[in-house]
């Protein structure tokens, strides 16, 4: 690592506003033809060490900025890896996955096994960006950070990568043998132009026999081992491709589940709000009904009192009516008796008149 680039990245990211931005990043693969902007934010403790970092990725289009994810859901645990065959190319991997709001970013990285492949304006910009990402992920003592510090310790060479000449670890045995030491047991890969027994290098002279037949046998044994290893590597490649496909599918399913959970949470929140509103309305209605019931009870009590008063008045009138009825009955009897007496008087009067008439005659 260039010490000047490392010091510049530390100064820019840690000494200023604790943020740095990289623009004019060209997309590759599915993101080809697009331009991106990457912003790195860090938060430090009292000792100046990084305790939290976040990355924001935006798409640039004609001077306008289009966020590829929600600002409240920044990208974390982002690693960057350079392409050794291309001085400006690199790719970003998201070990903790993408947030639900980064659906566009997920679509742009789907065909690249979840990696966003980009191209910086120049090699210095690429190295500065990767250093800034590494520093933002570094959780050690920044005072001990040097150009020998491993900023990406989790990036290891797989067995399948050992076939790629860009990542092979070459141990020179007079340029005749190449060793990939990252395998469980060192695998020796013979070059196409393998030397004959008569040209065996001095560094391997203890393995070369003066007998040509022994050398040929060793060569055949090495070729057999190589074929076995190649078969194993081919199987591992197939398993790796299957595993990557399953991982990609699982990540998509996880994002879909997260989106569903988010929608369900929103619906649940709306339902709770509606229940609270309806509960308040119901409580208000119940209180109003209780007030009405109290007023109704008061009215019933008042009417009951009035009924009692009226009932007493009716009973008094009924008593008077009975007395008057009795008096009327007595008077009617008296009238009948007097009528009879009057009738008798009339009869007597008539007889008297008749007698009188007779006497006068």
């Amino acid at each position: 690592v260039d010490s000047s680039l490392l010091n510049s990245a530390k100064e820019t990211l840690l000494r200023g506003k604790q943020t740095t931005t990289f623009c004019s990043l060209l997309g590759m693969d599915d993101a080809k033809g697009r331009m991106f902007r990457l912003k790195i934010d860090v938060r430090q403790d009292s000792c100046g060490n990084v305790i939290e970092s976040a990355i924001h990725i935006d798409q640039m289009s004609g001077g306008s900025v289009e966020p590829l994810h929600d600002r409240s859901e920044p990208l974390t645990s982002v690693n960057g890896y350079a392409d050794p065959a291309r001085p400006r190319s690199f790719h970003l991997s998201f070990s903790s996955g993408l947030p639900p709001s980064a659906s566009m970013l997920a679509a742009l990285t789907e065909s690249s096994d979840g990696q966003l492949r980009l191209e910086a304006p120049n090699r210095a910009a690429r190295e500065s960006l990767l250093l800034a990402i590494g520093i933002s992920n570094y959780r050690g003592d920044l005072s001990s950070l040097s150009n020998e510090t491993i900023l990406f310790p989790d990036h290891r060479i797989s067995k399948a990568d050992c076939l790629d000449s860009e990542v092979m670890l070459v141990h020179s045995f007079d340029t005749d043998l190449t060793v990939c030491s990252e395998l469980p047991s060192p695998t020796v890969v013979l070059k196409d132009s393998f030397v004959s027994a008569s040209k065996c290098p001095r560094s391997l002279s203890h393995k070369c026999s003066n007998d040509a037949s022994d050398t040929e046998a060793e060569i055949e044994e090495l070729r057999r081992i190589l074929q076995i290893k190649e078969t194993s590597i081919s199987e591992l490649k197939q398993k790796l491709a299957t595993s990557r496909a399953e991982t990609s599918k699982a990540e998509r399913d996880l994002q879909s589940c997260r989106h569903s959970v988010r929608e369900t949470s929103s619906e649940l929140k709306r339902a709770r709000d509606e229940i609270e509103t309806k509960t308040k309305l119901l409580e208000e209605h119940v209180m109003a009904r209780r007030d009405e019931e109290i007023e109704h009870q008061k009215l019933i009590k008042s009417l009951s009192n009035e009924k009692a008063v009226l009932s007493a008045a009716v009973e008094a009138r009924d008593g008077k009516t009975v007395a008057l009825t009795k008096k009327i009955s007595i008077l009617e009897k008296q009238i009948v008796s007097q009528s009879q007496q009057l009738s008798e008087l009339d009869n007597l009067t008539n007889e008297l008149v008749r007698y009188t008439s007779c006497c006068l005659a």
Side-chain angles (χ1 to χ4, degrees), residues 232-246:
S232 300
I233 290 172
S234 177
E235 293 177 355
L236 289 173
K237 276 187 174 181
Q238 294 177 356
K239 292 180 180 180
L240 177 62
T242 303
S243 176
R244 285 179 176 175
E246 292 177 352

Side-chain angles (χ1 to χ4, degrees), residues 78-320:
V78 180
N79 292 324
Y81 305 108
D83 187 347
R86 299 177 180 177
R88 297 186 299 170
S89 300
F90 65 98
H91 66 269
L92 303 177
S93 64
F94 311 95
S95 58
S96 62
L98 296 173
S101 61
S103 56
M104 176 63 72
L105 191 58
L108 294 176
T109 60
E110 183 175 359
S111 64
S112 304
D113 295 330
Q115 298 175 350
L116 180 63
R117 301 186 181 274
L118 301 171
E119 186 176 88
N122 50 62
R123 182 165 189 164
R126 181 190 75 171
E127 301 302 328
S128 298
L129 187 150
L130 294 178
L131 283 172
I133 293 177
I135 293 172
S136 68
N137 291 333
Y138 188 70
R139 295 297 182 266
D141 186 3
L142 288 178
S143 61
S144 64
L145 190 63
S146 66
N147 57 352
E148 295 180 356
T149 304
I150 300 176
L151 295 177
F152 301 102
D154 293 334
H155 180 59
R156 299 183 60 85
I157 301 173
S158 65
K159 296 180 181 181
D161 292 335
C162 290
L163 291 180
D164 193 344
S165 61
E166 295 175 358
V167 296
M168 276 190 175
L169 302 177
V170 178
H171 296 260
S172 175
F173 293 99
D174 290 343
T175 69
D176 290 320
L177 297 175
T178 304
V179 180
C180 180
S181 62
E182 287 297 318
L183 292 176
S185 61
T187 302
V188 180
V189 182
L190 299 178
K191 291 187 176 181
D192 292 337
S193 56
F194 188 82
V195 295
S196 63
S198 60
K199 296 181 180 180
C200 185
R202 294 181 180 179
S203 60
L204 298 178
S205 59
H206 61 284
K207 292 184 180 180
C208 296
S209 174
N210 293 330
D211 190 354
S213 61
D214 292 341
T215 304
E216 291 295 335
E218 290 179 4
I219 293 172
E220 290 298 328
E221 181 66 18
L222 290 174
R223 286 178 177 171
R224 186 184 65 81
I225 294 173
L226 175 61
Q227 185 176 4
I228 293 174
K229 295 294 183 181
E230 287 179 347
T231 303
S232 300
I233 290 172
S234 177
E235 293 177 355
L236 289 173
K237 276 187 174 181
Q238 294 177 356
K239 292 180 180 180
L240 177 62
T242 303
S243 176
R244 285 179 176 175
E246 292 177 352
T247 302
S248 178
K249 183 178 181 300
E251 289 177 352
R252 289 194 297 270
D253 293 341
L254 179 60
Q255 291 178 3
S256 177
C257 290
R258 286 177 177 173
H259 183 67
S260 299
V261 168
R262 190 175 181 181
E263 290 182 348
T264 304
S265 299
S266 300
E267 293 177 357
L268 181 60
K269 185 178 180 181
R270 288 195 297 270
R272 285 177 177 174
D273 294 339
E274 291 179 0
I275 290 173
E276 290 180 357
T277 303
K278 291 181 178 180
T279 302
K280 290 180 179 179
L281 293 175
L282 183 59
E283 289 177 352
E284 293 176 357
H285 183 67
V286 169
M287 293 298 295
R289 290 297 299 272
R290 285 180 180 174
D291 294 339
E292 291 178 358
E293 185 177 356
I294 291 173
E295 294 295 330
H296 185 63
Q297 292 293 336
K298 290 180 179 179
L299 181 60
I300 290 175
K301 188 175 182 180
S302 176
L303 293 174
S304 298
N305 294 333
E306 290 181 2
K307 181 181 178 182
V309 172
L310 292 174
S311 297
V314 168
E315 288 177 357
R317 289 177 183 177
D318 288 343
K320 291 179 180 181

